Amino acid sequence: MMEPEALLQQYFGHASFRTGQKKAIDAILQGRDVLAVMPTGAGKSVCYQISALLLPGITIVISPLISLMKDQVEALHQVGIPAAYVNSSISSEEFHMTMQLAQQGKYKILYVAPERLMTDSFLWLAERVQISMVAVDEAHCVSQWGQDFRQSYLDIPMFVQQLPRRPICTAFTATATVQVERDIAEILQLQNPEMIKTGFDRKNLFFGVRRPSNKTAELLELLKENSGKSGVVYCSTRKAVEEVCDAVCDAGYGATRYHAGLSDRERGQNQEDFLYDRKPIMVATNAFGMGIDKSNVSFVIHFNMPKDLESYYQEAGRAGRDGEPAQCILLYSGKDVRTNTFLIERSRETMDVEDDALREFLIEKSKERLKQMTFYATSTSCLRHRMLRYFGENSPESCGNCSCCQTNYKEEDATLEAKKILSCVYRAQKSGYHLSRTMAADVLIGSKKEVVLRMRLDQLSTYGIIDKMSHREVVQLMDELIQREDLALRQFKDYQELALTAGSVEIIRDQKQVTRRVPIVREKLAAPAGTTDPTMTAEDNTLFQKLREMRTQLAKNEGVPPYFIFADATLRDMCRKKPHTMGEMRQVSGVGVIKAQKYGKKFLGVIAGHLEGSMVGNS
């Protein structure tokens, strides 16, 4: 039997495993169940793919999305690993052919949608092949505490019970709180699983929050800063996707769109345009992205705030999958909170849950997650620390690679302003008003808005009592008070109103002081710390572009996405090492045996031609 490291080098071209991968593989080869929580880009799929090659029979991988299966199977074919998938996208004829070949032992890995597990045809196959392992990808979908609960995932333990012999069961996810971890292990009936947690911190990602007055202008500025790079822009609604995509295209950028309102055909075409780099920018709702393994995504911009940190971490994590520096920027406004609250309330109608009490419980959990997401978006302390703490992980209080850590702040006493805010809330309630954050700020700064005057809010004694803060600064201070539980938000009709707490009373009675962090100088985020590669010279970057051109041509000839040939990280390693022979090419990270045989000579030719041209130019 070959060693796992030898297979890793042969098929994937890497000399050593990433953190957690070898531990997972060793446990599987010892016959143990595994629960692995590893961040996006950490190489979860390698854990079960290498194991599958070393186990007898076949490995069943349960995956929630068609796009995920298709991409992974095509990538496995690229490196010479026999695999197939079974889902609703294949014809009846293709399905029967796949079943026949699987029964004949032609595949080592078979991807299947959870909805197919308990069908008679798939159970028929399961009785006739040796299933050594069942691997559950995106395992958080099994938990009702998670953000992507799927009813069909509850069929997985029933499927395993139907098998003639219980296989090794493994579960993999990038986003799981402690509660979700417990749910995964319990619901999937994992037996004394090896627990692998490699940490949620991805140091190559820069996290930033901006609060622009004009989001579209800010987005276009960010795209200008990232000119020539590939990225994703997430929006919360279909309407926003359409408007933002039009604005991006009108500005001259190659962009396409993705949301559930498009036809299957258009979604598929637009996704392909993005994957093949024909349109480097994807504007999408959260319907896009799970399982998309595009390695050269250099930025993810959230035009609207997601509904929870789990979603944000997962979506932002689609940047920098190749380990290269990447940006994750959130454009925040208070309207995002109202939009998400509305979407959460509306989800009652579409939720795949029959029990009324459970439905209300899930709605309340969603609101609590939204609250934590809002705290992140309005934070003046380290964003990475706040996110990691949410997932139960200890971390330094400053990372040096987020917008808060790169902003200089000064501490100011804001007790008087806080008292004015609390007084406004109290006076408004006594007068029968239910004020949102925005409306309360309008009152406090003495806004002349028509709605303020029409509602006679200018008659309140607290009207205009804050004269040295902008509307935005007042709202930010409210957000800080809410985070400290010195002020609260509670649902009133279709919006959230401000409410006093026990902490409010302490401030009013001078039993508690309030300080706020005020930015002095905000550094430009065009090139955050760590986004340039110091090992790449200007000459290397010229060679990199030539290698990309060769990759694009090969990808076009073969009809596959460019990153299927080689990831950007592999091309950069070629630039640094400048191999002259096939043996030296095999030492480049990401160049396995099959890919070296298929593409090695062509890329060696590009490198040799570039070096020869450089020598002539210097002579």
Side-chain angles (χ1 to χ4, degrees), residues 4 47 83 109 165 182 227 301 374 382 422 436 481 483 515 540 583:
C47 297
I109 303 174
R165 183 180 64 84
R182 284 197 291 261
S227 180
I301 300 169
T374 306
C382 178
L422 300 175
S436 66
L481 291 171
Q483 288 188 47
T515 58
D540 289 341

Side-chain angles (χ1 to χ4, degrees), residues 134-401:
V134 169
V136 183
D137 208 358
E138 308 293 347
H140 61 273
C141 293
V142 80
S143 172
Q144 292 173 339
W145 288 78
Q147 82 279 16
D148 286 318
F149 171 64
R150 303 215 175 192
Q151 190 79 33
S152 57
Y153 263 56
L154 299 180
D155 288 341
I156 296 172
M158 289 187 285
F159 168 73
V160 172
Q161 290 168 9
Q162 296 281 326
L163 300 177
R165 183 180 64 84
R166 185 187 185 276
I168 300 162
C169 293
T170 57
F172 299 86
T173 181
T175 50
T177 58
V178 173
Q179 176 62 53
V180 172
E181 286 176 31
R182 284 197 291 261
D183 265 9
I184 292 170
E186 183 177 333
I187 295 170
L188 294 180
Q189 299 174 10
L190 301 181
Q191 297 179 1
N192 187 29
E194 177 78 40
M195 294 291 299
I196 297 168
K197 295 177 69 173
T198 60
F200 290 89
D201 189 10
R202 293 180 59 201
K203 298 186 186 302
N204 64 313
L205 299 185
F206 172 88
F207 290 99
V209 176
R210 300 188 184 187
R211 304 177 69 154
S213 55
N214 185 325
K215 284 191 177 185
T216 301
E218 190 78 10
L219 171 63
L220 294 178
E221 180 62 27
L222 281 165
L223 295 182
K224 183 179 178 181
E225 293 169 6
N226 286 280
S227 180
K229 298 178 181 178
S230 181
V232 182
V233 180
Y234 278 109
C235 302
S236 60
T237 64
R238 300 177 189 178
K239 181 182 178 184
V241 167
E242 296 290 343
E243 292 173 350
V244 170
C245 189
D246 286 345
V248 171
C249 290
D250 289 346
Y253 295 98
T256 188
R257 59 187 180 156
Y258 191 104
H259 59 70
L262 304 176
S263 67
D264 289 346
R265 182 176 180 180
E266 184 175 356
R267 280 202 306 273
Q269 181 61 54
N270 292 351
Q271 179 171 296
E272 189 174 286
D273 285 343
F274 176 67
L275 294 177
Y276 285 68
D277 285 333
R278 294 191 287 264
K279 298 287 181 68
I281 299 169
M282 172 63 79
V283 184
T285 62
N286 62 3
F288 174 80
M290 188 185 286
I292 298 301
D293 196 20
K294 193 171 194 281
S295 61
N296 67 330
V297 174
S298 297
F299 61 89
V300 171
I301 300 169
H302 278 79
F303 193 82
N304 305 110
M305 183 183 76
K307 65 184 185 300
D308 50 57
L309 271 167
E310 289 94 336
S311 298
Y312 181 68
Y313 179 81
Q314 189 174 62
E315 291 160 12
R318 286 163 190 148
R321 292 183 69 115
D322 56 2
E324 297 295 308
Q327 291 190 56
C328 308
I329 307 295
L330 168 61
L331 305 182
Y332 172 78
S333 75
K335 185 180 177 182
D336 295 332
V337 181
R338 297 192 293 277
T339 300
N340 278 306
T341 302
F342 169 75
L343 293 174
I344 289 170
E345 289 292 336
R346 197 175 71 174
S347 69
R348 277 191 176 89
E349 305 163 14
T350 57
M351 197 176 290
D352 187 17
V353 176
E354 296 178 1
D355 185 87
D356 290 342
L358 176 58
R359 188 183 301 112
E360 290 308 308
F361 168 78
L362 295 175
I363 291 291
E364 288 307 309
K365 290 299 298 180
S366 294
K367 289 179 179 177
E368 176 59 31
R369 290 199 295 268
L370 174 59
K371 182 178 174 182
Q372 296 300 322
M373 182 72 238
T374 306
F375 288 167
Y376 172 90
T378 57
S379 178
T380 57
S381 60
C382 178
L383 298 175
R384 183 176 261 99
H385 175 68
R386 179 174 286 277
M387 184 182 295
L388 295 176
R389 188 175 62 186
Y390 177 78
F391 287 110
E393 188 171 316
N394 294 323
S395 69
E397 294 197 2
S398 177
C399 70
N401 196 28

Side-chain angles (χ1 to χ4, degrees), residues 54-75:
L54 292 166
L55 292 171
I58 193 170
T59 287
I60 302 294
V61 179
I62 299 165
S63 179
L65 287 183
I66 290 170
S67 58
L68 184 151
M69 299 185 205
K70 185 172 182 291
D71 281 0
Q72 292 218 352
V73 168
E74 286 185 8

Side-chain angles (χ1 to χ4, degrees), residues 417 421 445 466-475 477 516:
E417 288 78 7
I421 291 171
I445 67 170
I466 294 182
D467 59 358
K468 293 183 179 178
M469 293 174 66
S470 67
H471 186 279
R472 177 183 296 184
E473 288 172 330
V474 173
V475 172
L477 181 53
R516 68 180 185 127

Side-chain angles (χ1 to χ4, degrees), residues 523-562:
E523 295 184 10
K524 188 171 177 62
L525 303 183
T531 58
T532 57
D533 187 344
T535 66
M536 292 275 285
T537 65
E539 192 67 28
D540 289 341
N541 283 316
T542 301
L543 173 57
F544 177 67
Q545 295 305 323
K546 293 178 181 178
L547 294 174
R548 289 190 71 187
E549 290 170 10
M550 171 56 72
R551 182 182 65 178
T552 299
Q553 185 59 51
L554 290 171
K556 185 176 180 181
N557 293 343
E558 295 188 21
V560 298

